[in-house]
Amino acid sequence: MAEEVENYFSRWGDQGTVDLKHELEQVLMLTASRCLLGKELRESVPGKLCELFGELDNGLHLISGLLPYLPIPAHRRRDRARQRLGEIITEVIRLRRNSSRGAAGTDENNDDMLQCLINSRYKDGCAMTDAEIAGLVVPLMFAGKHTSSGVSIWTGVHLLSNPNHLAAVVAEQDRLMASCPGRTDDYHRLDYDTVQEMRSLHCCVKEALRLHPPVAAVRQAYKHFTVQTKEGKEYTIPGGHMVVSTILVNHYLPHIYKDPHVFDPQRFAPGREEEKVAGRFSFLSFSAGRHACAGESFSYTQIKVLWSYLLSNFEIKMVSPFLETEWSTVIPEPKGKVMVSYRRRTAPK
């Protein structure tokens, strides 16, 4: 991740103005594809991957949840992009299967999710088919890029709009980068332990997730169960019914989160920990329980690596007004461009 982020932003000049939304979407596609699909696919069709996943993204509207196969132009482009992605990924799988090193899983360049799926076996010892692997990789890539993209943008928008919180995060980065084991004269090579110590930045990302949860939780009740409100009233959910958790409403409940409309990352700091006030289901951006998102750690790491590099190497200021939310998509995202100005920082000695 750190290598992809560094390589991408090394193309920025000493100062300038960019659409931060576009930049973050591009770099997150690169990091997700490198970690999940591998280096050879990332390097062979980098621009094509962004284009195809963009078509998938643009093919997800609110109406898609009700009529996923409605013959509209956006759905047709989505389906063509999905077919082409399957063909590209299948070709890489075949090349790896034909490689003795890749098939044995010993190639150090293939330590990615794609290779894990190629090496995996069902309980009866059978390997997964190419189509099955491609069918799993595409949604993994989509989730790894799309949700992280929106949260990354909102994290930046809120930080750049709140100087006090921004100063605290920058100070944390300077302190951690000064002692980072992978530091060189020109840049800082992040390691996982250092990323885990970014507590202020982590709280900022989590607060952005609270204010702008990427998706609603929809589950089917396999058996009936009873829920109780804080007033003590009970409701029975029959088995087979669909249950929708209104995460956006939950995250703004004033009896759980003080001043819920205010960007306050310290609400998650030790001593407050407001997300624990009403139990483990108070914070649901990654769902919870047995259906909790398996990519939670990946998402946090991806976003923190990205913003760690940006804040350690650039002074960034908002040019655009504060963003509105685009509600017409399945996954709400920032609306319009996010124009920022940047100036390269002098590397700390």
Side-chain angles (χ1 to χ4, degrees):
M1 289 183 185
E3 182 181 352
E4 289 290 344
V5 169
E6 181 190 348
N7 289 341
Y8 186 87
F9 289 112
S10 65
R11 300 182 301 176
W12 281 16
D14 290 335
Q15 59 183 351
T17 302
V18 296
D19 178 5
L20 188 63
K21 181 178 179 180
H22 171 78
E23 296 296 301
L24 298 190
E25 287 175 346
Q26 294 295 308
V27 72
L28 286 169
M29 173 56 71
L30 297 176
T31 57
S33 60
R34 176 69 177 274
C35 293
L36 299 177
L37 299 182
K39 189 174 183 179
E40 75 273 37
L41 184 58
R42 146 76 179 84
E43 293 180 345
S44 60
V45 286
K48 193 64 176 178
L49 282 179
C50 292
E51 177 185 338
L52 292 173
F53 275 100
E55 292 293 355
L56 287 185
D57 193 0
N58 295 332
L60 283 178
H61 301 274
L62 291 179
I63 195 173
S64 304
L66 299 174
L67 300 169
Y69 302 108
L70 188 68
I72 59 177
H75 286 174
R76 293 193 182 99
R77 291 192 296 269
R78 175 203 64 193
D79 294 342
R80 286 195 297 268
R82 171 60 182 86
Q83 181 179 357
R84 180 59 183 140
L85 280 169
E87 293 170 353
I88 293 173
I89 295 170
T90 298
E91 181 61 26
V92 174
I93 295 171
R94 289 173 180 168
L95 290 174
R96 289 196 183 186
R97 288 196 194 278
N98 292 333
S99 168
S100 58
R101 296 179 69 196
T106 58
D107 189 344
E108 63 180 7
N109 293 322
N110 291 338
D111 57 346
D112 47 63
M113 179 58 69
L114 181 60
Q115 191 63 45
C116 290
L117 293 173
I118 293 173
N119 295 340
S120 65
R121 296 292 183 271
Y122 287 107
K123 291 182 179 180
D124 61 3
C126 293
M128 298 178 67
T129 67
D130 295 353
E132 288 172 335
I133 295 174
L136 287 172
V137 167
V138 170
L140 279 174
M141 269 293 301
F142 187 79
K145 177 264 178 186
H146 192 286
T147 54
S148 294
S149 176
V151 177
S152 297
I153 297 166
W154 282 121
T155 299
V157 168
H158 282 288
L159 274 176
L160 298 178
S161 303
N162 291 271
N164 291 337
H165 295 307
L166 176 62
V169 173
V170 171
E172 177 185 66
Q173 292 304 309
D174 289 346
R175 174 177 57 81
L176 291 174
M177 293 303 102
S179 59
C180 182
R183 181 181 177 182
T184 70
D185 293 336
D186 299 321
Y187 62 88
H188 305 105
R189 181 72 66 188
L190 290 176
D191 61 16
Y192 184 74
D193 290 337
T194 302
V195 174
Q196 294 303 104
E197 293 182 38
M198 298 176 183
R199 296 182 179 88
S200 292
L201 180 55
H202 184 89
C203 288
C204 290
V205 176
K206 193 168 184 176
E207 178 69 341
L209 275 164
R210 183 190 70 83
L211 291 168
H212 310 279
V215 67
V218 182
R219 296 285 183 270
Q220 183 179 30
Y222 288 99
K223 60 181 180 180
H224 78 276
F225 65 95
T226 302
V227 295
Q228 186 179 69
T229 67
K230 67 184 182 69
E231 291 83 11
K233 190 172 183 178
E234 292 188 347
Y235 294 89
T236 298
I237 310 300
H241 282 217
M242 298 300 294
V243 180
V244 179
S245 176
T246 53
I247 300 176
L248 189 63
V249 175
N250 294 351
H251 286 181
Y252 282 78
L253 293 175
H255 67 277
I256 297 178
Y257 297 104
K258 181 181 178 181
D259 298 324
H261 293 275
V262 176
F263 180 75
D264 181 11
Q266 290 304 306
R267 69 173 78 249
F268 299 112
R272 288 181 63 180
E273 298 178 319
E274 294 179 3
E275 77 277 20
K276 298 180 180 179
V277 169
R280 60 195 181 102
F281 298 117
S282 298
F283 183 82
L284 292 171
S285 288
F286 289 101
S287 192
R290 68 174 61 185
H291 295 292
C293 177
E296 178 177 357
S297 179
F298 179 85
S299 181
Y300 273 123
T301 302
Q302 192 178 26
I303 297 169
K304 288 194 288 186
V305 167
L306 169 59
W307 275 106
S308 171
Y309 185 86
L310 282 175
L311 296 177
S312 296
N313 290 275
F314 299 96
E315 296 175 358
I316 306 176
K317 296 182 179 180
M318 285 284 292
V319 175
S320 298
F322 196 86
L323 298 180
E324 297 180 357
T325 301
E326 177 58 74
W327 295 107
S328 65
T329 56
V330 173
I331 301 178
E333 59 184 19
K335 187 176 184 178
K337 294 184 177 181
V338 186
M339 302 306 297
V340 300
S341 62
Y342 69 85
R343 181 185 298 274
R344 190 174 293 273
R345 296 179 65 190
T346 302
K349 301 297 183 181

